[in-house]
Amino acid sequence: MGMSGSDERQDRGEWVNWSGSLRFSPSRIERPGSEEEVRQIVKRSCERGEVIRPVGAGHSSTPIIETEDVLLSLDGYRGLVGYDEERCQATVRAGTTLKEAGGFLADVGMAFHTLGDINVQTVVGAICTGTHGSGKSLKNLASILIGGRMVTAQGEIMEFSQQDEDLLRAMRVSLGALGIFTEVKLQLVPSYSLRRQEWCSTIDSCLENLHDLIESNRHFDFYWYPRSDRVKLRTYNLPGESYADLPYAELVEDRTGASHLVIPKVRTLRFNEMEYFLPLENAVDCFEEVRRRVKNDHRREVAWRVLFRTITPDDAYLSGSYGRETATIALLHNASLPFWRYFQDLEPVLLEYGGRPHWAKKHTLRARDLRALYPEWDTFVRIREKLDPQGVFLSPYLRGLLEAE
Ligand SMILES: Cc1cc2nc3c(=O)[nH]c(=O)nc-3n(C[C@H](O)[C@H](O)[C@H](O)COP(=O)(O)OP(=O)(O)OC[C@H]3O[C@@H](n4cnc5c(N)ncnc54)[C@H](O)[C@@H]3O)c2cc1C
């Protein structure tokens, strides 16, 4: 189901996100089953001066969906609207999850060019926060948005397409702050298989060979385990293009299958996470500093594992990978343990090396800090103000995030 944050909340009308670190009680949860219903809900809220926040599968762990007023879920509005085999494009309803879309797109010979670690997010939720996988030549998932339909703050339908270049650059990572997407048109690729290999090694061998690992794999990332100082390397390649052997690593998993089935995992162990997008050229130095600090100060109490990934640049105004070759460093911490001391100690290090925070993961930045990190920040802000001058979609948290004064 779309709203999969937690089960207990349903009875009390309380919202709890996936990791359990965020709770709030909206005055209403709306689940429209049609675009016309979405329009009516937005119009009503606009007249009453209420704040509406759209929610997908509730997997973000910053309060981007929090509102005291209306939480709007499109989990009753999902599925394939249409597709174009020749152009490899498809349109889906906004409640559709990556998993569902992966399935029905495979039936018509198409696939996502990349995926993150899991596939239970909605396609739109993933787009709105700039969700990404790993791979030096792979852009984030937001980059595949090429058109669609949105209900605006005035309760009107706005259709948009590839011609609306500036609008698309704003929409691609838009935090649900511009309007309610009802349908999204996606640029896909022909279905493909991947060979997934996982290897165990030491952090020193990994860092010595990092350049080669990044350059010679379609997808490469690694997890570092602070307590043992060992790593798990993950590579995904087109069959026939994979490593047969890495002399410094032990192969522990090797399987081949359709991309949408092989990339995502099911995560049962809940965790909180802080992830920053760094310029690729700073990433190793930054990682070394993170490693030093984690080993010195945090190894006893925390530091479950640290994830390192890469992303190709794009031009969405609020994208973490805007305009630069990017590597990300993510601190993962078991959800049952306190996380702020750990994250707040490491956040200045990630910032010092030029990091931008993942919108959906823990960070403490506000507009005054964020504005300097995104060269076209003001363009996004202007587009947002034009689309929603009254702030129908602007919760107090989003105001703090997007409004510098
Ligand atoms: C276990 C786990 C693994 C993860 N793995 C990765 C990963 O590998 N890579 C990565 O980059 N991120 C990852 N994430 C983060 C995750 O991809 C993002 O939080 C994503 O945004 C979640 O999608 P969602 O459907 O849950 O959306 P939500 O969290 O519910 O919402 C996300 C944003 O989308 C907006 N939104 C939702 N629906 C609409 C709509 N119809 N119209 C307008 N706005 C809308 C919301 O307002 C909000 O701003 C992971 C998170 C978890 C918990």
Side-chain angles (χ1 to χ4, degrees), residues 232-296:
K232 176 168 299 171
L233 316 174
R234 296 190 296 188
T235 61
Y236 304 103
N237 286 295
L238 301 177
E241 293 183 357
S242 311
Y243 282 120
D245 193 22
L246 289 178
Y248 50 85
E250 181 196 351
L251 185 64
V252 291
E253 187 177 330
D254 192 351
R255 62 195 168 91
T256 301
S259 60
H260 69 288
L261 301 176
V262 159
I263 306 176
K265 282 229 163 179
V266 176
R267 295 279 172 220
T268 45
L269 182 64
R270 309 237 163 175
F271 54 87
N272 282 304
E273 186 175 354
M274 167 177 276
E275 180 173 38
Y276 266 73
F277 296 66
L278 298 140
L280 182 60
E281 65 272 19
N282 295 353
V284 171
D285 289 345
C286 182
F287 177 81
E288 290 283 28
E289 178 60 21
V290 166
R291 181 179 169 217
R292 196 186 59 73
R293 211 180 270 215
V294 170
K295 283 176 78 166
N296 285 348

Side-chain angles (χ1 to χ4, degrees), residues 54 56-60 117 121-122 125 128-129 131-132 175 181 309 358 360:
H59 271 53
S60 298
D117 243 23
Q121 309 96 314
T122 58
C128 283
T129 61
T131 292
H132 62 96
L175 315 176
F181 289 107
R309 298 187 272 191
H358 194 308

Side-chain angles (χ1 to χ4, degrees), residues 50-256:
E50 294 170 329
V51 171
I52 301 194
R53 294 301 301 140
V55 60
H59 271 53
S60 298
S61 58
T62 43
I64 42 177
I65 59 157
E66 182 171 336
T67 174
E68 286 182 0
D69 300 335
V70 181
L71 191 64
L72 185 146
S73 164
L74 283 174
D75 63 0
Y77 195 63
R78 42 221 284 180
L80 180 65
V81 178
Y83 63 96
D84 178 334
E85 263 178 297
E86 225 162 85
R87 295 196 169 96
C88 226
Q89 297 171 345
T91 301
V92 305
R93 293 193 188 92
T96 309
T97 63
L98 290 168
K99 184 174 179 185
E100 288 164 339
F104 59 62
L105 290 171
D107 292 341
V108 297
M110 300 182 203
F112 296 105
H113 71 293
T114 189
L115 282 169
D117 243 23
I118 54 164
N119 60 6
V120 299
Q121 309 96 314
T122 58
V123 176
V124 170
I127 287 172
C128 283
T129 61
T131 292
H132 62 96
S134 188
K136 196 169 175 267
S137 349
L138 301 175
K139 289 186 182 175
N140 65 20
L141 276 167
S143 66
I144 70 175
L145 178 71
I146 54 167
R149 292 166 71 86
M150 174 175 265
V151 173
T152 66
Q154 296 73 38
E156 281 153 16
I157 306 290
M158 178 169 70
E159 280 193 67
F160 57 96
S161 71
Q162 263 165 314
Q163 270 89 61
D164 305 306
E165 224 177 278
D166 291 347
L167 193 57
L168 271 179
R169 291 175 68 195
M171 283 174 161
R172 282 192 179 129
V173 183
S174 52
L175 315 176
L178 302 182
I180 314 282
F181 289 107
T182 51
E183 290 178 6
V184 284
K185 186 173 178 183
L186 310 171
Q187 182 62 57
L188 302 154
V189 297
S191 301
Y192 58 104
S193 290
L194 284 177
R195 181 175 180 191
R196 175 187 183 119
Q197 292 173 293
E198 295 190 1
W199 320 71
C200 286
S201 187
T202 62
I203 183 66
D204 291 336
S205 302
C206 171
L207 294 177
E208 269 163 38
N209 293 282
L210 191 62
H211 179 75
D212 175 53
L213 287 163
I214 291 173
E215 292 298 327
S216 30
N217 289 291
R218 184 181 193 278
H219 168 133
F220 162 74
D221 60 28
F222 74 85
Y223 282 111
W224 169 58
Y225 294 85
R227 293 196 184 192
S228 62
D229 226 7
R230 291 185 65 79
V231 285
K232 176 168 299 171
L233 316 174
R234 296 190 296 188
T235 61
Y236 304 103
N237 286 295
L238 301 177
E241 293 183 357
S242 311
Y243 282 120
D245 193 22
L246 289 178
Y248 50 85
E250 181 196 351
L251 185 64
V252 291
E253 187 177 330
D254 192 351
R255 62 195 168 91
T256 301

